[in-house]
Amino acid sequence: MHKRILDHLNSAILLFDQDLNLAYINTSGEVLLADSANQLLGHNAQELFKISDPALLANLKLSLTMSEPLLDRALTLNRIGQTVTITFSATPIFTDDGRAEILVELLPVDNHLRISKEEQLLSQQNTAKLLVRGLAHEIKNPLGGLRGAAQLLDLELIDPDLKEYTGIIIAESDRLQGLMDKMLGPNKLPNKKMLNIHEVLERVRQLVEAEASGNLLILCDYDPSIPDLKADKDQLIQAVLNIVRNAVQAVDGSGVIRVKTRIKRNVTIGRKCHKLSVKIDISDNGPGIDAEMMNQIFYPMITGRPEGTGLGLSIAHSLINQHGGLIECESEPGNTTFSILLPIESGND
């Protein structure tokens, strides 16, 4: 009964003896340490945590020495190819014959942190979107009247020089009208049909290569086993194209852009867990995104380029959201990656 309970906990439970050798590990612990109990039991804590945060081993020793419980947060646990952020809890216990043991609970918090960050981002974006929509509508109303008045005035004028001025007013009104339409974002629901995500990516690659100079290199690393998903092909092309064009601008048209697809399992988007999702990574080797802008890059009218409108990423985010998906970004000098997550199963309908 106790073993069944421990094996069904989400927390990793480890028991170390007084010499800090592993005496027990539950199923979640095996998953966290990426190895089976048969391989892990008997190993010393120093060996298990040798490439992880030094505080892990230090906390174990301190709890054992002081015979007091100890809690620590935001520690990093390194395992094969991955770093996991965990909450650490150690509790000394004593056997019937007085020997000390340490019961350790490791709770991964990466997913919780990502979900919390995502919810905060979505909330901020929705607020910004409402403000922008209200502002755009307020501008469009007098803009229509301004354009109409300029057209009527143009009909009354005979002097070509004066007509040139009304032409400028009409042209600028049309330009502002187009900008307002972009700020309002997608105005129709996606027309979803079954498609292969690589059709979308190849179409974007062809468009970007046709636009770019010969110094741009686009490298593709596709997983051919990814099943079809239900989506609006045109909207996905627009979303991916906006991100890839941003990458082209980041490398100033003469760098390397990598597009990679992989299957992700048990991905939580919002508050919903999807058993199967596709992850599209779009990376560039440009200078990276300024740290001060990282939390604002998906807001409308936010851009790091003087000639930019700041609408590309905002529109891409809205389109991916309409498909129940998510866009994430990580950036450092020489490597910026935008990751698109799209659910594949029925939750994508």
Side-chain angles (χ1 to χ4, degrees), residues 112-329:
H112 299 286
L113 292 173
R114 188 182 67 80
I115 293 171
S116 176
K117 180 181 178 182
E118 175 196 327
E119 288 180 343
Q120 182 181 10
L121 179 63
L122 288 174
S123 175
Q124 292 173 342
Q125 287 171 343
N126 287 335
T127 301
K129 190 183 298 182
L130 289 173
L131 290 172
V132 168
R133 284 180 181 273
L135 178 63
H137 281 299
E138 289 299 318
I139 293 175
K140 285 179 71 174
N141 290 334
L143 196 59
L146 182 67
R147 189 185 191 282
Q151 287 178 308
L152 292 174
L153 180 60
D154 186 72
L155 294 174
E156 298 293 327
L157 294 174
I158 299 174
D159 189 338
D161 291 336
L162 295 177
K163 279 180 172 287
E164 182 181 349
Y165 297 134
T166 56
I168 291 173
I169 295 172
I170 293 170
E172 287 301 292
S173 297
D174 289 340
R175 185 178 66 83
L176 286 174
Q177 179 74 36
L179 181 61
M180 292 302 102
D181 289 338
K182 288 182 179 180
M183 287 177 66
L184 290 171
N187 56 7
K188 65 176 183 177
L189 294 174
N191 178 24
K192 295 182 179 180
K193 297 179 180 178
M194 297 304 295
L195 61 85
N196 188 304
I197 192 62
H198 300 124
E199 295 178 19
V200 172
L201 299 179
E202 281 299 290
R203 177 62 176 157
V204 170
R205 181 185 62 81
Q206 292 167 1
L207 289 171
V208 172
E209 286 183 340
E211 296 171 354
S213 64
N215 295 325
L216 182 70
L217 180 62
I218 300 179
L219 302 176
C220 298
D221 178 9
Y222 296 156
D223 180 354
S225 69
I226 294 176
D228 291 353
L229 70 157
K230 199 170 186 179
D232 186 312
K233 185 175 182 179
D234 291 337
Q235 288 193 359
L236 285 191
I237 288 174
Q238 185 63 61
V240 176
L241 186 60
N242 287 358
I243 295 174
V244 175
R245 279 177 173 161
N246 260 31
V248 173
Q249 292 161 355
V251 299
D252 201 17
S254 59
V256 179
I257 295 174
R258 291 180 169 82
V259 182
K260 181 173 74 172
T261 60
R262 290 293 185 269
I263 282 288
K264 296 287 287 183
R265 300 183 185 277
N266 298 321
V267 173
T268 301
I269 300 176
R271 293 184 176 273
K272 186 171 183 179
C273 183
H274 301 276
K275 293 182 180 178
L276 203 63
S277 300
V278 58
K279 184 181 183 186
I280 307 162
D281 287 334
I282 300 167
S283 306
D284 67 72
N285 62 344
I289 300 171
D290 192 289
E292 294 181 357
M293 289 189 62
M294 276 299 292
N295 293 329
Q296 308 171 41
I297 55 174
F298 294 111
Y299 287 0
M301 311 305 289
I302 298 296
T303 178
R305 295 178 293 108
E307 71 280 9
T309 62
L311 294 174
L313 290 179
S314 174
I315 292 171
H317 194 272
S318 295
L319 292 172
I320 295 302
N321 275 351
Q322 285 191 0
H323 287 76
L326 174 71
I327 305 179
E328 298 176 325
C329 178

Side-chain angles (χ1 to χ4, degrees), residues 44 71 111 140 232 324:
N44 192 268
L71 178 69
N111 203 36
K140 285 179 71 174
D232 186 312

